[in-house]
Amino acid sequence: MSTTTAIHPTINAVTQRITERSKPTRTAYLQRIRAAAGKGRLQRSNLGCTNLAHAFAAAPSAVKIELKQEEVPNFGIVSSYNDMVSAHQPFEEFPVWLKEECFKHGTTVQFAGGTPAMCDGITQGYEGMELSLFSRDVIAMSTAVALSHQMFDGVFYLGVCDKIVPGLLIGALSFGHLPALFVPAGPMTSGLANNEKAKIRQLFAEGKVGRDILLESEMASYHSPGTCTFYGTANSNQMMMEMMGLHLPNSAFVNPNTPMREALTRAAGEHMAEAVKKGRILPVGEMITEKSIVNAIVGLMATGGSTNHTMHLIAFARAAGIIVNWDDFDDISNIVPLLARVYPNGKADVNHFAAAGGLAFVIRELLDAGLLHEDVDTVVGRGMRAYTREPFLVDGKVQWRDAVAVSQDDSVLRPASAPFSPDGGLRLMKGNIGRSVIKVSAVMPEHRVIEAPAIVFDDQREVLAAFDRGELERDFIAVVRFQGPRANGMPELHKLTPQLSVLQGRGFKVALVTDGRMSGASGKVPAAIHMSPEALLGGAIGKIRTGDMLRFDAETGELNVLMDEAEFNAREIPVPDLSARSHGIGRELFAGFRSLSSSAETGAMSFGGDFV
């Protein structure tokens, strides 16, 4: 189709609405980064000789020679490498490859600094998960510390998983006067099928298999370096980086430890070197615009991406002075078709998705349907058409070719003309309890509408204990409150999924309402999450009592307590005892983050009111 397809009127209207809403903050942001950029073509030219000597001291002699030349660009690397988290272990070799390629092309590279990278899969259901959300803000701040030396003319950002990429992007946009190139590591190869893993989890929850069988199943699924292969927050991150043009095209889902992965990493080094020398890459704060952010939201809907990005995307948009809310997500979701079925929305994993045509196919379909802004800047130039191509290795060099004309597996990937669903994977839920979001793409239509009594819990462990006691064998809506960012750092409650799935499988109507998170692994049980305001800040979720009738309609977005409005509003919210959650596993160090956090709908950020 034509590359000039008219943009869908809703996409255009939402983009204009965001642009108008963001004018004061975006203008102020651009003024700040342009002032920073105006201090000299190369950043280190502003430093004194003593400062420069400190910065050069550890460099090899050949690099020192180049660093002394003011006309030679110098790039930084900020990496989340560690060798415990599978997704980040492959980054160990990336700095060497990037340095070698940049040096070949007349530039230098220094490893500027590292960031933490915790794994929600490891901390799931334990105290460490209460540090997870705010690790994003720590990553953003550690990125700022790494770049504070003002030595760099562009930055490579190495990160993959849940909070890491949003944190790196917030940090990158705080240094928005510098070009940025995000370099992914890719997913692990396919192991045990995700639906088989889910079956074993349910059998374990029912006591039908032992822990030894469960562990073998999990190890067969999470088995090698790379991202987990289901379509959760980590792989949604990689999709968004492509949708915003921050990766080299279609580099997200190439497996680690392959010739193509190394070639793409080296190509990133070569590209940054040549693009900066020739002025062919914009500073990231100029490159990322309201249209870029809308493209990321469209991608989230078209692929059934993670609910966590209803916070993270809002947070990094704000880092660029762009103000987005859940109404924007909801309006876009209503008109963007679901083109992918990847677990938990289907049986396939991201490797199957990539083999069927992957993001290059999705982006072409969205562009041709007028659902994606084409007229945006990316790291490879103007326009999103470059992202409709995929890389191939020819004589050891990367070449890009057009995406496949048709899906190679229409059970995994479909064109916009024949989608899995006419609308996207996320929906706004609202009513007299507050505002929340739900991932509906994995929920079967027959489970989307529930009218049932509430059972109120103040901790996910209480839900699990009630399940073990056999007290949940009925229709009910679990209300798990005091799980927001101010209360306990907003942990994911994904550990509830097997038990609630068991009850749903037994024929009971069940749902979850919480001011906590569920994650990109949100599955077949309907869950209204991120309830705002949270209970600790006076949110009406704190007024619900066990036995209250709730109507939960994921089709219309209605979520209400069915009782007299005056009576409900007059209720007092109990004062929770949060003392057990304030210390241990480092939680005492995050007290300031909890006390400063904004609401989920404004990104759950701890940076304070002056951030935008």
Side-chain angles (χ1 to χ4, degrees):
M1 292 183 66
S2 168
T3 60
T4 58
T5 306
I7 197 74
H8 190 287
T10 298
I11 299 296
N12 189 50
V14 171
T15 306
Q16 291 182 357
R17 183 171 77 203
I18 293 170
T19 301
E20 187 63 30
R21 183 193 301 143
S22 306
K23 274 185 178 177
T25 48
R26 179 65 176 170
T27 299
Y29 172 78
L30 290 173
Q31 287 174 345
R32 289 196 300 271
I33 66 169
R34 286 167 184 170
K39 294 179 180 178
R41 191 181 80 81
L42 296 184
Q43 294 296 303
R44 68 186 186 278
S45 64
N46 299 299
L47 298 180
C49 292
T50 301
N51 308 80
L52 288 169
H54 279 286
F56 299 171
S61 298
V63 174
K64 282 183 181 177
I65 293 171
E66 297 301 314
L67 283 168
K68 288 191 293 183
Q69 312 304 313
E70 287 196 357
E71 71 277 8
V72 175
N74 183 46
F75 305 127
I77 295 173
V78 179
S79 174
S80 56
Y81 164 75
N82 64 59
D83 68 4
M84 185 185 75
V85 178
S86 64
H88 296 88
Q89 185 272 345
F91 286 133
E92 181 177 15
E93 296 179 288
F94 283 28
V96 172
W97 298 340
L98 292 169
K99 288 179 179 182
E100 287 177 355
E101 291 305 311
C102 285
F103 199 73
K104 287 179 190 176
H105 291 271
T107 63
T108 56
V109 180
Q110 293 178 292
F111 191 98
T115 72
M118 66 177 290
C119 175
D120 290 356
I122 298 171
T123 58
Q124 194 69 251
Y126 295 93
E127 291 86 348
M129 176 57 82
E130 296 179 20
L131 276 58
S132 173
L133 176 61
F134 292 131
S135 75
R136 180 197 67 193
D137 296 8
V138 172
I139 290 160
M141 291 188 289
S142 60
T143 299
V145 172
L147 301 180
S148 65
H149 301 103
Q150 301 182 67
M151 279 288 295
F152 309 111
D153 307 300
V155 187
F156 298 102
Y157 295 94
L158 313 185
V160 175
C161 284
D162 298 15
K163 268 62 63 184
I164 292 85
V165 168
L168 287 172
L169 186 50
I170 292 169
L173 289 164
S174 296
F175 284 76
H177 58 290
L178 301 177
L181 183 51
F182 280 66
V183 184
M188 66 178 68
T189 55
S190 300
L192 180 72
N194 283 301
N195 59 329
E196 291 300 317
K197 173 190 68 180
K199 287 178 185 176
I200 297 297
R201 286 180 176 179
Q202 283 197 213
L203 290 171
F204 179 76
E206 296 177 90
K208 294 179 179 178
V209 300
R211 187 178 177 87
D212 56 337
I213 300 297
L214 178 65
L215 182 57
E216 288 302 315
S217 168
E218 297 293 328
M219 289 180 67
S221 179
Y222 308 116
H223 63 94
S224 69
T227 318
C228 305
T229 60
F230 66 85
Y231 195 55
T233 310
N235 288 318
S236 298
N237 275 335
Q238 303 311 301
M239 173 276 299
M240 290 194 304
M241 295 303 102
E242 302 263 342
M243 290 287 176
M244 293 190 292
L246 285 163
H247 282 170
L248 292 187
N250 217 50
S251 59
F253 299 134
V254 174
N255 302 124
N257 302 322
T258 61
M260 176 60 85
R261 185 79 272 164
E262 180 176 348
L264 281 169
T265 303
R266 290 183 177 276
E270 176 182 350
H271 179 76
M272 178 75 98
E274 294 299 324
V276 168
K277 285 196 303 182
K278 297 173 182 176
R280 293 179 179 171
I281 185 169
L282 286 175
V284 67
E286 303 272 4
M287 193 189 95
I288 298 299
T289 65
E290 293 87 348
K291 289 182 177 181
S292 309
I293 296 298
V294 168
N295 281 356
I297 299 174
V298 170
L300 198 67
M301 303 309 168
T303 59
S306 169
T307 54
N308 275 327
H309 292 309
T310 60
M311 291 184 299
H312 296 323
L313 196 154
I314 286 172
F316 63 65
R318 282 178 170 252
I322 298 168
I323 310 301
V324 180
N325 62 37
W326 289 342
D327 291 310
D328 304 322
F329 282 76
D330 197 52
D331 287 350
I332 291 173
S333 182
N334 286 335
I335 56 94
V336 172
L338 183 67
L339 305 185
R341 281 241 180 252
V342 187
Y343 187 85
N345 301 336
K347 295 181 180 180
D349 67 19
V350 293
N351 294 310
H352 302 137
F353 167 72
L359 286 173
F361 181 94
V362 169
I363 290 171
R364 187 194 65 215
E365 289 296 309
L366 293 171
L367 285 171
D368 289 350
L371 293 168
L372 207 62
H373 290 292
E374 185 171 352
D375 56 336
V376 293
D377 289 297
T378 75
V379 295
V380 294
R382 183 72 171 172
M384 280 299 294
R385 283 286 159 184
Y387 288 81
T388 66
R389 313 187 80 198
E390 56 183 327
F392 291 85
L393 265 183
V394 180
D395 297 327
K397 295 289 289 183
V398 180
Q399 294 183 6
W400 275 265
R401 301 173 185 169
D402 289 342
V404 293
V406 296
S407 170
Q408 304 300 287
D409 185 345
D410 64 7
S411 72
V412 178
L413 185 63
R414 291 187 182 175
S417 59
F420 293 102
S421 169
D423 55 12
L426 293 171
R427 188 156 296 154
L428 174 65
M429 299 283 284
K430 57 186 178 180
N432 59 11
I433 302 172
R435 287 163 65 89
S436 62
V437 295
I438 183 172
K439 184 173 182 176
V440 294
S441 53
V443 180
M444 298 298 291
E446 60 266 30
H447 297 310
R448 293 181 182 179
V449 181
I450 301 172
E451 196 167 299
I455 304 178
V456 177
F457 304 93
D458 289 347
D459 190 284
Q460 63 178 322
R461 295 173 187 83
E462 296 175 5
V463 185
L464 300 177
F467 174 86
D468 290 341
R469 293 192 298 267
E471 296 171 2
L472 303 181
E473 303 282 326
R474 50 181 163 139
D475 294 353
F476 72 100
I477 296 176
V479 177
V480 186
R481 62 190 184 180
F482 300 114
Q483 303 298 308
R486 289 281 183 118
N488 64 346
M490 205 177 189
E492 288 184 355
L493 307 178
H494 184 48
K495 207 172 184 71
L496 300 179
T497 299
Q499 285 78 3
L500 294 177
S501 297
V502 166
L503 295 168
Q504 183 174 268
R506 292 174 181 169
F508 298 111
K509 287 185 171 293
V510 295
L512 173 69
V513 175
T514 182
D515 49 10
R517 295 186 292 135
M518 275 297 283
S519 90
S522 301
K524 60 187 179 182
V525 176
I529 60 177
H530 306 175
M531 184 61 70
S532 298
E534 65 177 283
L536 194 66
L537 290 181
I541 187 175
K543 297 182 178 184
I544 301 173
R545 303 288 182 263
T546 294
D548 289 346
M549 288 298 295
L550 271 60
R551 179 166 178 80
F552 186 118
D553 189 334
E555 298 286 2
T556 64
E558 173 192 357
L559 180 56
N560 284 299
V561 178
L562 303 179
M563 64 179 297
D564 178 74
E565 183 178 353
E567 180 185 350
F568 183 60
N569 290 339
R571 283 181 175 176
E572 297 290 329
I573 297 175
V575 178
D577 180 6
L578 300 175
S579 58
R581 303 175 183 176
S582 62
H583 291 77
I585 319 296
R587 286 176 289 181
E588 58 273 24
L589 302 176
F590 286 73
F593 289 78
R594 293 191 294 272
S595 68
L596 290 172
S597 180
S598 66
S599 71
E601 190 170 4
T602 55
M605 297 184 298
S606 63
F607 300 119
D610 294 333
F611 185 65
V612 294

